[in-house]
Amino acid sequence: KLRNLYWILAAVFGIGSAPSSAIAQNSSPPAVLLKKLNAVSLTTRPALGDDGCFYANGGGGVLAFDSTTLNVIWGPISPCGNFGGPGVSVGANGLVYAVGDNNECGNGPLDAFRPNGSIVWGYANGSPFPRQTPALDDQSSTVFFGSSTIEALDYNTHSSKWTSADGLYIGARGIGIDANGNLYVGTHSGEGGNTRILSFSPTGAVRWQRTFPSPEQTGPSIVAIPNP
């Protein structure tokens, strides 16, 4: 599958509208297959789809690229402000998921994009600053996001499966899911405030939570969950 054939790297030069170089590499041994300069700055790690495309945030919105030519297919598309800045996710259903920010959108919405760039649905749960790449569980067709409210949604219909009001108002980078379907989420209240890491069962029950001082504005980054 595409996810096993390519590594996509974004080398960002400068900020704003500065161009970036998208590089495709095969898996073993690493060797550059394609390199193309596009007039857009990629600000997040791209996400690969099974449709021959990869998706990323750049130029203030969500973009799609052809993985064989590295040409921009569509975008940047933004419902409001710099949309998808924390990163994008691609579901097995082909939809692309990204979040916005209260500073530019008036809330912290989660939007789902079709592979052609049109928006299927948008949803906000009152979390002002999700600021994370939405996490997906394709087996249960679920997308997870949020900060002050952490929520699990059906990723096709955006109907709520469960919510928790135990998070702090800024979502941290990274949401993890282990092999048993348990969720791990980091939130924080800004520099000099608190960081809170929570774990939820697949049904949304809080398994445990830890709260400690936040040394920095960025909060915690959940990077990996070891399998039991």
Side-chain angles (χ1 to χ4, degrees):
K1 286 190 175 181
L2 186 62
R3 290 185 177 88
N4 298 325
L5 293 176
Y6 289 93
W7 301 338
I8 304 296
L9 306 177
V12 180
F13 303 97
I15 59 173
S17 60
S20 61
S21 177
I23 305 170
Q25 295 182 321
N26 64 6
S27 56
S28 180
V32 174
L33 299 177
L34 295 168
K35 182 175 181 179
K36 183 179 180 65
L37 190 67
N38 289 301
V40 64
S41 175
L42 301 187
T43 57
T44 60
R45 181 180 63 187
L48 300 178
D50 291 326
D51 56 357
C53 301
F54 68 89
Y55 303 87
N57 169 270
V62 178
L63 302 101
F65 294 81
D66 186 306
S67 63
T68 60
T69 65
L70 305 185
N71 291 329
V72 176
I73 300 173
W74 53 257
I77 295 175
S78 172
C80 54
N82 181 18
F83 207 83
V88 302
S89 302
V90 185
N93 58 359
L95 298 183
V96 181
Y97 301 89
V99 298
D101 196 281
N102 184 76
N103 288 339
E104 297 169 316
C105 298
N107 53 27
L110 168 71
D111 277 44
F113 298 77
R114 294 185 180 91
N116 64 7
S118 62
I119 296 174
V120 185
W121 50 259
Y123 181 85
N125 65 12
S127 293
F129 306 109
R131 293 184 181 173
Q132 76 254 133
T133 303
L136 305 180
D137 182 350
D138 286 318
Q139 291 186 334
S140 62
S141 301
T142 306
V143 56
F144 305 91
F145 87 112
S147 55
S148 54
T149 298
I150 299 163
E151 190 160 7
L153 301 174
D154 182 295
Y155 74 12
N156 294 304
T157 66
H158 71 275
S159 60
S160 180
K161 295 187 174 184
W162 57 260
T163 62
S164 169
D166 290 304
L168 300 178
Y169 73 96
I170 303 174
R173 296 169 294 181
I175 297 177
I177 306 172
D178 68 21
N180 295 319
N182 298 311
L183 193 72
Y184 303 82
V185 184
T187 63
H188 67 105
S189 56
E191 184 175 359
N194 289 318
T195 284
R196 180 172 297 161
I197 299 176
L198 304 102
S199 178
F200 298 90
S201 73
T203 59
V206 176
R207 300 172 63 233
W208 52 260
Q209 61 176 280
R210 303 287 185 272
T211 302
F212 45 90
S214 285
E216 297 181 1
Q217 173 71 24
T218 53
S221 296
I222 296 175
V223 296
I225 304 299
N227 291 327

